[in-house]
Amino acid sequence: MMAFVLISIVFVSVAGAAFALAAAAYAPSSLLEERLKSLGWERPDRQKRFWVRERLDQAWDPLNKALPFSPGELSKTRKWLIQAGFRERRHLMMYSYSRAISTVAFVVVGLAAGGIHSLLLLVGLALLGFFSPRFLLKRRIRERQRLVTIGLPDALDLTVVCVEAGLPLDQAMMRVGEDLKYAHAELSEEFHLANLEMRAGKPRPEALRNLADRTGVDDVRSLVAALIQTDRFGTSIAQALRVYSDALRTERRRRAEEQAAKTSIKMIVPLVVFALVPLFLVTLGPALIGLFRDLSPAVRK
């Protein structure tokens, strides 16, 4: 009986230790996983995902060489994709092929519908399919820039607090990026990338300029220019951030007042179409109908 109890205790202990080790190794962002990763160990599913991505890149390469785009256009498109949040090389190829596939799809659908009897209409459908991915990409860029602009005041306030607490700018940006991970994910990601560039040895002005280029937001460009000048002249970063934060709030108030002033102009067309026209029909409609009934016999004679 004692032997059975001892064997059971040993079995439960070994099973529990194995389960705890496996749970710690496969838990997301665990310390054991980071240490195993530094030793060259990775999860099997992650290795499989990297293998599939490598095979996809190899499949895209022959088609990428056949693209009729110039280097300047590729650079501009690459910049747009980065501003939209697509940073991998395969995203550029997927975007290029989506334009070709969209063009062919619009033409094929138009021919299948049987309603195309003009070459001009066929060319119009082809152009519509060719520029549709670009339109969607521009819309994604504007939406992402709007989210970055919304999250910038909160990020500045947190950065001022961190800098005044004694943290350097790179550590403050890293801390702010972690704190805004769920509230403003886009801005948190950009701060994280800028911090990684500075930790990798890139000069701070260059990393900040890359931050402004990746976002494409005017407020971020102004902030980067202020930080670079502050770093160059050796003035207080916290004071510069506080002054820029006040200027940003003033600019936001001015933009809100501008949008409010445009509201009255934008309301003219809906007011005329949906209010004045029905009002004229309701007030003058019965009179016009009666006048028509009275004058119609005389007109017929």
Side-chain angles (χ1 to χ4, degrees), residues 31-191:
L31 181 61
L32 180 59
E33 182 188 2
E34 296 296 333
R35 293 181 178 178
L36 291 175
K37 189 192 300 183
S38 63
L39 296 176
W41 178 89
E42 290 182 349
R43 297 183 186 177
D45 58 343
R46 186 172 299 179
Q47 291 178 351
K48 182 179 180 180
R49 189 162 60 248
F50 287 160
W51 181 83
V52 171
R53 181 176 297 179
E54 184 180 357
R55 294 297 179 270
L56 287 175
D57 291 340
Q58 291 178 359
W60 287 116
D61 283 339
L63 296 175
N64 187 30
K65 296 179 181 179
L67 287 175
F69 290 134
S70 63
E73 186 174 355
L74 285 177
S75 177
K76 182 173 63 175
T77 306
R78 176 67 174 167
K79 183 178 180 180
W80 288 345
L81 289 171
I82 291 175
Q83 291 180 356
F86 305 109
R87 299 183 178 86
E88 298 184 12
R89 185 183 62 176
R90 60 190 179 94
H91 291 150
L92 176 60
M93 294 179 284
M94 292 171 64
Y95 171 74
S96 303
Y97 303 142
S98 66
R99 300 186 75 177
I101 294 172
S102 177
T103 303
V104 176
F106 270 72
V107 173
V108 170
V109 170
L111 293 176
I116 297 180
H117 303 289
S118 173
L119 180 61
L120 184 61
L121 183 58
L122 185 64
V123 173
L125 283 176
L127 292 177
L128 180 62
F130 184 75
F131 287 105
S132 294
R134 180 175 177 179
F135 171 76
L136 296 176
L137 180 63
K138 289 288 189 178
R139 190 183 182 115
R140 172 66 182 269
I141 292 174
R142 288 194 297 268
E143 178 63 21
R144 196 168 188 274
Q145 290 177 348
R146 186 184 68 85
L147 295 176
V148 170
T149 304
I150 291 175
L152 189 58
D154 298 336
L156 282 178
D157 294 337
L158 291 175
T159 306
V160 170
V161 173
C162 293
V163 171
E164 289 182 346
L167 289 178
L169 182 61
D170 52 351
Q171 296 294 327
M173 292 180 63
M174 183 178 66
R175 181 61 184 270
V176 171
E178 293 177 355
D179 292 339
L180 298 179
K181 184 177 181 180
Y182 299 103
H184 305 287
E186 292 77 12
L187 190 59
S188 173
E189 183 181 1
E190 296 297 339
F191 275 18

Side-chain angles (χ1 to χ4, degrees), residues 198-215:
M198 287 187 284
R199 289 173 60 185
K202 185 170 292 187
R204 182 184 295 177
E206 185 177 355
L208 293 176
R209 291 192 186 96
N210 291 338
L211 172 64
D213 292 337
R214 285 195 306 268
T215 57

Side-chain angles (χ1 to χ4, degrees), residues 156 240-253:
L156 282 178
L241 290 175
R242 189 178 297 279
V243 171
Y244 183 77
S245 178
D246 296 337
L248 182 61
R249 289 188 179 90
T250 304
E251 181 66 19
R252 289 180 61 187
R253 189 181 301 110

